[in-house]
Amino acid sequence: MAGNVLEIVHRQFTAPTTVLGSGIPAIDHITGIGGYPRGRITELFGTASSGKSALALACCLNTAALGLTVVWIDLEHSLTAKLPLDPGPSARDILLLEPHTAEDAVDMAAILLERADIDLLVMDSAIVMNPSRRPVGMPFNMARAEMVGRTLRKLTTLVARRHCVMLFLSRSYLMAVPASVASIGGGALRSFASLRLKTTQEQLAMDEGDPSSFAVRVRVVKNKLAPPEREALLYYSLADGTLTEEPPAMVAEQPEEEPWP
């Protein structure tokens, strides 16, 4: 068994890196390799409603449109509410699983990775990966971090062997410190992830007094395959749930100056 693990690790770090496109050219650019790396873990994290799920969905829809296999393990049971207003026909090709416990989610992922040709696996998300049985006296955050660590130890080798992309969604841990790169996934997720992207909500746009869109800054905070600290600015539309590179017209257009009388 040890020999097999060493062989997989050697192949992972000596073979040319292959990727799946994120579905957003600006994200492909800042990763430095053209997308999310196959055979590795990518963490997408940020505060609540900062565009993490939209970022993952863009990759899912793009990958499914190519005829590849996409699995979304939805521990939060909230994917249907996050889908764009018109996601397109490729949304029907995403296999959605809604486990009731973190243990079930890990077992589902392991079975699929062992038995099926999966190209993209999304784990949504670390914040609800609470073990069914928490040791007496252990704080909730510590039990959750331990559960995430067990998950990654079990799935990382399978992801590498299957040569698929795994997107692990997480929540920023120290929300009071904007520059923090800590997440709910704890030290295990920071260590196992080859690529970490942090999303931050910025610049809320209004339309007749109601919020219509907001800017999403995506920053690469860890990258084992290319230089980190690159950024992209995207725009999320609250009207149709899409994440694009182009700002809404009301943000892009500057008010014209009135002519001098």
Side-chain angles (χ1 to χ4, degrees):
M1 178 64 182
N4 291 337
V5 172
L6 290 174
E7 182 182 346
I8 291 170
V9 172
H10 176 75
R11 185 167 63 247
Q12 180 182 8
F13 285 96
T14 57
T17 303
T18 55
V19 300
L20 275 181
S22 68
I24 303 174
I27 299 300
D28 293 343
H29 175 71
I30 65 172
T31 64
I33 54 175
Y36 302 124
R38 281 184 174 269
R40 297 173 183 251
I41 311 293
T42 294
E43 181 188 9
L44 306 179
F45 73 102
T47 55
S49 302
S50 61
K52 304 180 297 294
S53 297
L55 202 57
L57 274 168
C59 184
C60 289
L61 295 173
N62 182 65
T63 303
L66 297 174
L68 302 177
T69 306
V70 180
V71 178
W72 187 295
I73 298 181
D74 185 15
L75 260 168
E76 295 192 9
H77 296 191
S78 60
L79 179 62
T80 52
K82 299 173 183 176
L83 283 171
L85 190 63
D86 182 17
S90 61
R92 295 194 296 268
D93 297 324
I94 299 174
L95 175 60
L96 173 62
L97 302 175
E98 295 182 326
H100 292 290
T101 67
E103 290 83 358
D104 287 346
V106 178
D107 289 343
M108 287 178 180
I111 291 171
L112 286 169
L113 287 168
E114 288 171 347
R115 302 182 183 180
D117 290 327
I118 298 175
D119 296 285
L120 174 60
L121 173 65
V122 178
M123 186 68 77
D124 184 15
S125 68
I127 196 170
V128 289
M129 293 204 72
N130 301 305
S132 299
R133 295 181 180 178
R134 179 170 56 95
V136 177
M138 179 179 284
F140 278 104
N141 60 339
M142 187 179 296
R144 179 174 54 216
E146 187 177 273
M147 184 70 214
V148 172
R150 291 203 303 269
T151 300
L152 292 167
R153 286 191 292 273
K154 185 171 185 176
L155 299 184
T156 299
T157 302
L158 296 175
V159 167
R161 184 183 298 158
R162 185 57 65 187
H163 202 56
C164 81
V165 169
M166 181 174 179
L167 300 181
F168 209 127
L169 276 58
S170 188
R171 185 81 62 84
S172 292
Y173 186 64
L174 299 176
M175 297 183 184
V177 184
S180 171
V181 294
S183 73
I184 289 293
L189 190 48
R190 290 198 299 275
S191 298
F192 278 91
S194 294
L195 181 65
R196 300 184 71 221
L197 274 61
K198 180 180 180 180
T199 60
T200 307
Q201 184 183 138
E202 298 183 357
Q203 191 185 351
L204 184 66
M206 308 294 287
D207 183 14
E208 296 183 354
D210 296 319
S212 61
S213 65
F214 59 82
V216 176
R217 187 170 300 279
V218 184
R219 180 164 67 96
V220 180
V221 299
K222 177 184 177 182
N223 195 342
K224 288 186 176 180
L225 303 165
E229 300 302 330
R230 297 180 178 181
E231 292 186 352
L233 190 63
L234 307 176
Y235 299 90
Y236 181 81
S237 170
L238 295 170
D240 55 19
T242 57
L243 189 65
T244 63
E245 295 182 61
E246 295 297 324
M250 63 194 68
V251 175
E253 295 177 359
Q254 298 296 327
E256 296 182 1
E257 294 184 3
E258 296 183 4
W260 187 263

